[in-house]
Amino acid sequence: MSNNTGRIYKKALFSLFLIFLATVFLLPYLWMVGSAFKTRSELFSYILPLSWKTFVPLHPTLDNFSKLLFELGFGRTIANTLLLSAITVLGSVILCSMTAFALSMTEFPGRKIVFFLIMFTMMVPFEARMLPTFLVVQDIHLSNTFTALYLPWLADAFLIFLFTGHFSEIPFDLYNAAVIDGCPHTQIYWRIMLPNIGPALISGGLIKFFFAWDSYVWPLIILRSDKWQVIGVAIANLFTDQSIAWELIFSSALLSTLPVVLLFILLQPYYVAGMTSGGLKE
């Protein structure tokens, strides 16, 4: 009886610890959500001491969102970012899955060396690649264009690694049977192999969506006009030397967070399956 009581106490304490930890992590987001619906005066009225008024707006307003979408052109910025994310996801998933298919299902001289070189690029940080990439984009006259936002990032070593692991799980006899039946490689890839790595495709797509949606440094240095401005740069532009529109920053942060949170919640089971099953052999 005492052992059961001890286990119950341990579980209760552990649950309380998890609740406390979750609360600590959620408080900044709750503050952001509440502040997004506050006026500037109310925003600074209840910062200290902390109370429920810090997180809950007393007089909720949509004026911040109205100003962002209709006066500052955030609607177009969100559309640009969605388009960038969609193209990046689609292009990366197709290109990287084709590369992974070739590396895992076909034999050619130097295949392991090519795979090693691709994996080696994962060790090179963005800061080391930023200047050479910028110079290449500038030399091919793509600077300040929408194409420059996504083209350098379609090839992704991590996605190739992820897809290669999942392709390797598929029985090789399935590939051989398709070849014997005279099925061309394009059809083997598109109709047979690709549907078998659905969770990995969703996982890779989510990773590239987060990358494109949160992009800031590269759009900042490659774009000189506001035509193709993305949401990360637009939020940063709300910080000026004259003033900082905190109420607009909270509202824009909420707008930028919602698509990511909703997409992750909807696709979380596939994301977890895609990240945990690749490369596991029975």
Side-chain angles (χ1 to χ4, degrees):
M1 186 69 179
S2 58
N3 290 335
N4 291 335
T5 304
R7 283 197 295 267
I8 292 173
Y9 283 142
K10 288 181 180 179
K11 289 182 179 180
L13 288 174
F14 185 67
S15 299
L16 289 174
F17 172 74
L18 291 179
I19 292 172
F20 170 76
L21 198 63
T23 303
V24 171
F25 278 98
L26 286 175
L27 278 179
Y29 295 98
L30 295 176
W31 185 26
M32 176 191 70
V33 173
S35 300
F37 297 93
K38 292 181 179 181
T39 61
R40 181 175 298 192
S41 59
E42 184 182 351
L43 183 63
F44 289 99
S45 297
Y46 304 104
I47 293 180
L48 291 174
L50 285 178
S51 66
W52 64 271
K53 295 180 181 179
T54 307
F55 303 96
V56 180
L58 300 180
H59 306 286
T61 178
L62 295 176
D63 291 344
N64 299 333
F65 298 98
S66 177
K67 185 174 182 179
L68 284 173
L69 296 175
F70 301 109
E71 295 184 27
L72 300 180
F74 245 72
R76 180 175 182 176
T77 300
I78 294 174
N80 290 342
T81 314
L82 283 173
L83 180 62
L84 171 63
S85 302
I87 294 177
T88 303
V89 169
L90 185 62
S92 294
V93 166
I94 292 177
L95 180 63
C96 295
S97 62
M98 292 175 67
T99 306
F101 171 75
L103 290 172
S104 58
M105 290 294 173
T106 60
E107 294 285 347
F108 58 89
R111 180 170 65 96
K112 293 184 178 179
I113 296 177
V114 172
F115 183 75
F116 171 78
L117 291 175
I118 293 175
M119 294 301 101
F120 178 77
T121 62
M122 295 175 62
M123 303 173 61
V124 183
F126 169 74
E127 290 77 10
R129 294 178 286 136
M130 182 172 62
L131 182 58
T133 305
F134 175 80
L135 295 176
V136 170
V137 171
Q138 192 175 47
D139 288 342
I140 60 178
H141 307 291
L142 288 179
S143 180
N144 199 36
T145 64
F146 182 75
T147 305
L149 290 176
Y150 65 85
L151 188 61
W153 316 115
L154 294 184
D156 191 306
F158 176 76
L159 292 195
I160 294 174
F161 171 76
L162 178 66
F163 296 155
T164 301
H166 281 76
F167 276 129
S168 299
E169 283 189 334
I170 301 175
F172 203 74
D173 292 340
L174 183 63
Y175 170 79
N176 288 332
V179 172
I180 293 173
D181 288 341
C183 186
H185 277 79
T186 54
Q187 296 299 317
I188 296 175
Y189 159 77
W190 189 256
R191 294 190 175 183
I192 300 176
M193 297 301 172
L194 211 57
N196 281 285
I197 62 166
L201 297 177
I202 294 175
S203 298
L206 273 176
I207 292 171
K208 294 303 290 186
F209 179 86
F210 299 153
F211 170 82
W213 186 264
D214 293 334
S215 58
Y216 170 72
V217 176
W218 180 249
L220 185 65
I221 65 176
I222 203 64
L223 296 179
R224 294 185 296 274
S225 65
D226 295 336
K227 180 180 180 181
W228 296 111
Q229 188 179 65
V230 296
I231 197 165
V233 178
I235 294 176
N237 288 340
L238 295 174
F239 293 86
T240 63
D241 296 332
Q242 291 75 27
S243 64
I244 300 177
W246 287 108
E247 71 281 6
L248 299 182
I249 292 172
F250 281 117
S251 301
S252 58
L254 179 59
L255 287 176
S256 67
T257 304
L258 283 177
V260 176
V261 173
L262 293 175
L263 196 61
F264 183 78
I265 291 175
L266 291 174
L267 300 179
Q268 183 184 13
Y270 305 99
Y271 175 78
V272 174
M275 294 300 293
T276 56
S277 63
L280 299 178
K281 293 285 187 180
E282 294 185 359

